[in-house]
Amino acid sequence: MSNDRSPAELDTDFAAFARLAEANDELTTLLHIGDEHLVLLSGLGPVPETVQRFDLGAARIARGHFRHDPPDISATGYAPRRPARAMSARRWGC
C-alpha cells in the first residue's frame, strides 16, 4: 500500500494544521514524505500558497541507493557472528 497522498488529501491535512496555527498568525509548513515523492506545502491561511513536489520518496530512495548484499562466507573465510544466548532464570537458580 502506498504512503503517497493525493493533492486533495494533502490540502485537507494542510488546512487542519493551518487551523491550529491560525490563532497566532503563524506560517504553516507541512512536509509529507511519501513512498515516491516528498511534498512541501507552505502558507499563512488554510490554503497553501506554495506547493513543491520532489521525486525523493522513501521507497524511491531505498530502491535506488541501498541494497542488501551480504558477503559470501566462502569468499571471506569467516562465518557471521552468532547472537549471544540470553541467560535463563533457571541457570541462575531463581
Side-chain angles (χ1 to χ4, degrees):
M1 174 152 72
S2 176
N3 189 29
D4 288 318
R5 308 220 358 119
S6 71
E9 290 172 318
L10 288 170
D11 286 342
T12 301
D13 293 346
F14 184 84
F17 283 109
R19 278 194 297 275
L20 296 173
E22 195 171 22
N24 299 325
D25 290 329
E26 295 177 349
L27 177 70
T28 302
T29 302
L30 176 65
L31 175 67
H32 174 72
I33 303 172
D35 289 337
E36 299 297 322
H37 305 283
L38 180 142
V39 183
L40 181 68
L41 300 96
S42 185
L44 286 171
V47 178
E49 297 167 11
T50 304
V51 177
Q52 297 175 329
R53 182 179 166 134
F54 304 95
D55 293 335
L56 294 173
R60 180 177 286 202
I61 291 171
R63 193 172 48 248
H65 300 284
F66 297 98
R67 67 179 185 172
H68 178 69
D69 191 13
D72 181 16
I73 293 173
S74 63
T76 61
Y78 62 90
R81 289 180 53 187
R82 290 181 23 193
R85 292 189 305 171
M87 299 294 238
S88 68
R90 205 175 322 144
R91 186 172 183 176
W92 288 94
C94 298

